[in-house]
């Protein structure tokens, strides 16, 4: 018996953070269909509906084998009426008429096009759509109304929507380490996000930087950025100072609690990466091998623009930051929801606060955070909820 059923009843737990979700699973056609509807609901401003489809898809991702009949759905949590209907259609006909209609609709296609621009969220895309804009050329005409970030996003649209390969992420990791270690040799640079969960491709490359001696990391990021820029690696960057105040940051403790945005010092950037096919032309042995500088191969367009996020966390907050930046987005959302509703705790990327005891719960590792939450540890590669 697969489909998550044991003799004791459903094996699939209610919250995504209580389940193990590997990257590869057996129900891709079903989850693709549900996730299209989740996306479409989000484009229409229906957050609740969007979440319902996302949760249903996430449950299917955790199943040990392919779902073959509707009956296997009954012990599973989070499968609403609408999701059930879509699943039935895909099981019986291979496709869902509703999903196919959505994918062809003008709004969905335009919203996809616009939200794939770096710096453009759903709200902005909706506004443009309502104003009658439909193509990237339409946006080019309104160039002056775009933010600097959106202009960069538009300029590098093709590159930024070409998946970043794992090998490219590794190359960028070596470059970031080279930059960081010049200023702080004992700092650690960790690849987080999807690549830490085992993905072979990503939409960006996420790094978390820390130093075992707290406060040493202060001021590091601006030096790193300045060096990268002087070497010609920066196509765009926007840095933010750390605005988190310990202890008892009022915003952390306010009702909303665990928000997904954090207040670490960080830099959203677009870096210039040499295409790996050109690796052989570059001098070997340099940490920056594979990355292109302005004078080098830019003219021949032997480079590719890649989105890179650099986040600096003080050592005591590092495990929370690592947990928060490893994802998946849905796993994070479920962790925070579980903490709040099942444990009366507030979790974010800085800290864990126990509302009953009215105290922060420190942690030296991700494992300890799971322990505080009374959750079985889920390794990064099983967090693809
Ligand atoms: P992808 O699309 O291949 O880059 O996949 P991911 O999973 O790397 O997605 P990404 O890069 O958008 O985000 C990585 C994780 O970091 C994700 O679980 C959510 C988290 N994250 C992203 N932005 C923020 C932020 O502003 N604050 C916090 N605390 N977390 C964030
Ligand atoms: Mg990422």
């Amino acid at each position: 018996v697969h489909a998550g059923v044991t003799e004791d009843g459903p094996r699939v737990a209610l919250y995504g953070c209580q389940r193990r979700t590997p990257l590869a699973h057996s129900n891709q056609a079903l989850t693709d269909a549900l996730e299209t509807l989740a996306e479409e609901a989000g484009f229409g401003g229906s957050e609740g509906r969007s979440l319902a489809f996302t949760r249903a898809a996430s449950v299917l991702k955790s199943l040990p084998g392919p779902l073959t009949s509707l009956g296997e759905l009954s012990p599973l949590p989070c499968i609403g009426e609408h999701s059930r209907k879509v699943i039935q259609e895909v099981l019986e006909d291979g496709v869902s008429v509703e999903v196919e209609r959505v994918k062809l609709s003008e709004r969905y296609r335009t919203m996809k096009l616009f939200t794939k621009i770096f710096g453009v969220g759903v709200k902005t895309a909706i506004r443009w759509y309502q104003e009658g804009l439909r193509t990237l050329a339409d946006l080019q005409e309104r160039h002056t109304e775009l933010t600097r970030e959106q202009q960069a996003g538009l300029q590098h649209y093709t590159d930024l929507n070409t998946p970043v390969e794992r090998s490219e992420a590794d190359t960028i990791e070596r470059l970031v380490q080279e930059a960081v270690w010049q200023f702080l040799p004992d700092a650690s640079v960790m690849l987080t996000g999807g690549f830490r969960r085992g993905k072979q491709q990503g939409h960006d490359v996420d790094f978390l930087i820390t130093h075992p001696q707290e406060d040493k990391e202060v001021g590091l990021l601006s030096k790193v950025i300045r060096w990268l820029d002087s070497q010609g690696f920066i196509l765009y960057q926007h840095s933010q100072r750390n605005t988190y105040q310990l202890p008892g940051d009022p915003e952390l403790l306010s009702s909303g609690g665990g928000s997904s945005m954090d207040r670490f010092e960080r830099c959203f950037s677009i870096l210039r990466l040499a295409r790996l096919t050109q690796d052989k032309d570059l001098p070997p042995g340099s940490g920056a091998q594979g990355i292109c500088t302005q004078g080098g191969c830019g003219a021949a367009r032997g480079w590719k623009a890649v989105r890179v996020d650099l986040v600096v966390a003080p050592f005591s907050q590092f495990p929370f930051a690592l947990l928060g930046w490893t994802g998946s987005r849905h796993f994070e959302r479920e962790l925070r929801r579980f903490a709040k509703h099942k444990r009366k705790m507030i979790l974010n990327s800085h800290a864990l606060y126990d509302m009953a005891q009215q105290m922060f719960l420190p942690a030296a590792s991700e494992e300890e955070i799971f322990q505080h939450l009374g959750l079985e540890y889920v390794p990064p590669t099983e967090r693809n909820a």
Side-chain angles (χ1 to χ4, degrees):
V1 228
H2 51 74
V5 188
T6 68
E7 283 169 3
D8 310 328
R11 191 200 301 161
V12 176
L14 188 54
Y15 288 86
C17 55
Q18 296 173 297
R19 306 189 289 257
R20 287 177 170 251
T21 314
L23 200 55
H25 63 85
S26 318
N27 291 286
Q28 197 71 44
L30 296 174
T31 59
D32 284 350
L34 293 169
E35 285 180 338
T36 301
L37 295 185
E39 201 173 24
E40 163 69 3
F43 290 163
S46 311
E47 284 312 317
R49 261 165 47 83
S50 177
L51 202 50
F53 287 124
T54 301
R55 287 207 183 113
S58 178
V59 164
L60 299 189
K61 287 180 189 177
S62 75
L63 298 184
L67 191 88
T68 52
S69 74
L70 270 189
E72 294 166 37
L73 286 179
S74 31
L76 303 182
C78 308
I79 312 284
E81 213 30 65
H82 198 153
S83 293
R84 191 185 166 81
K85 195 179 130 265
V86 173
I87 292 167
Q88 178 172 14
E89 265 190 301
V90 175
L91 283 181
E92 289 172 1
D93 311 327
V95 286
S96 150
V97 174
E98 182 186 7
V99 172
E100 294 311 300
R101 185 159 25 86
V102 163
K103 285 201 279 195
L104 292 174
S105 75
E106 186 175 29
R107 187 181 77 170
Y108 179 81
R109 290 165 55 149
T110 310
M111 289 294 289
K112 279 293 269 191
L113 182 77
F114 289 169
T115 53
K116 277 159 59 182
I117 304 170
F118 170 53
V120 178
V122 169
K123 278 188 192 137
T124 304
I126 289 178
R127 196 182 73 236
W128 288 341
Y129 183 76
Q130 287 170 347
E131 288 170 8
L133 305 179
R134 291 294 180 270
T135 64
L136 298 183
D138 291 344
L139 292 178
Q140 296 280 14
E141 281 176 26
R142 299 238 200 146
H143 202 252
T144 53
E145 293 167 41
L146 303 180
T147 64
R148 199 172 65 88
E149 190 180 33
Q150 292 162 353
Q151 290 177 12
L154 206 50
Q155 187 183 348
H156 301 292
Y157 189 85
T158 308
D159 277 2
L160 298 187
N161 285 291
T162 305
V164 183
E165 300 297 330
R166 174 76 209 204
S167 55
E168 294 173 324
D170 292 339
T171 301
I172 295 172
E173 180 172 28
R174 289 192 294 275
L175 175 73
V176 173
Q177 284 172 339
E178 183 185 344
V180 166
W181 290 344
Q182 284 179 46
F183 304 106
L184 268 188
D186 300 326
S188 83
V189 174
M190 265 197 81
L191 189 55
T192 62
F195 288 112
R196 184 163 182 250
R197 300 197 308 277
K199 283 176 70 174
Q200 289 304 309
Q201 294 187 326
H203 100 280
D204 67 0
V205 192
D206 308 291
F207 291 102
L208 198 55
I209 300 166
T210 193
H211 190 280
Q213 215 176 322
E214 202 142 326
D215 284 351
K216 282 270 191 195
E217 78 285 354
V218 175
L220 171 66
L221 194 57
S222 55
K223 291 182 203 159
V224 166
I225 300 302
R226 230 175 295 136
W227 182 80
L228 288 171
D229 196 28
S230 73
Q231 302 295 305
F233 292 126
I234 305 244
L235 293 166
Y236 167 90
Q237 70 92 13
H238 172 79
S239 297
Q240 242 167 246
R241 288 187 309 121
N242 181 351
T243 55
Y244 185 71
Q245 291 151 10
L246 275 175
D249 187 295
E251 196 164 305
L252 170 72
L253 301 179
S254 71
S255 56
S259 135
S260 69
M261 278 309 280
D262 62 50
R263 282 117 142 295
F264 291 117
E265 180 175 18
R266 61 191 283 182
C267 174
F268 307 93
S269 72
I270 302 176
L271 296 194
R272 174 191 294 253
L273 174 77
R275 294 200 185 274
L276 288 177
T277 49
Q278 300 217 341
D279 259 1
K280 57 181 180 333
D281 303 330
L282 290 166
S286 115
Q289 188 188 1
I291 306 251
C292 189
T293 56
Q294 233 135 25
C297 43
R301 200 58 182 83
W303 53 270
K304 170 186 182 181
V306 177
R307 276 271 301 114
V308 175
D309 277 346
L310 303 176
V311 179
V312 179
F315 198 66
S316 62
Q317 296 169 36
F318 182 76
F320 299 98
L322 184 60
L323 181 59
W325 274 88
T326 298
S328 69
R329 276 179 189 282
H330 188 60
F331 189 87
E332 301 298 331
R333 196 189 291 133
E334 292 286 278
L335 264 179
R336 293 190 299 266
R337 194 167 70 96
F338 177 86
K340 187 171 170 191
H341 295 290
K342 304 299 280 188
R343 301 291 186 248
K344 303 275 177 280
M345 292 180 187
I346 300 172
L347 173 69
N348 64 22
S349 294
H350 297 277
L352 177 64
Y353 184 76
D354 184 327
M355 289 188 278
Q357 298 187 66
Q358 301 196 3
M359 62 185 279
F360 286 94
L361 303 177
S365 65
E366 286 182 317
E367 283 86 343
E368 279 186 37
I369 304 173
F370 281 88
Q371 275 169 21
H372 284 316
L373 290 168
L375 280 172
E376 215 173 286
Y377 179 68
V378 180
T381 53
E382 307 279 344
R383 295 183 202 160
N384 292 289

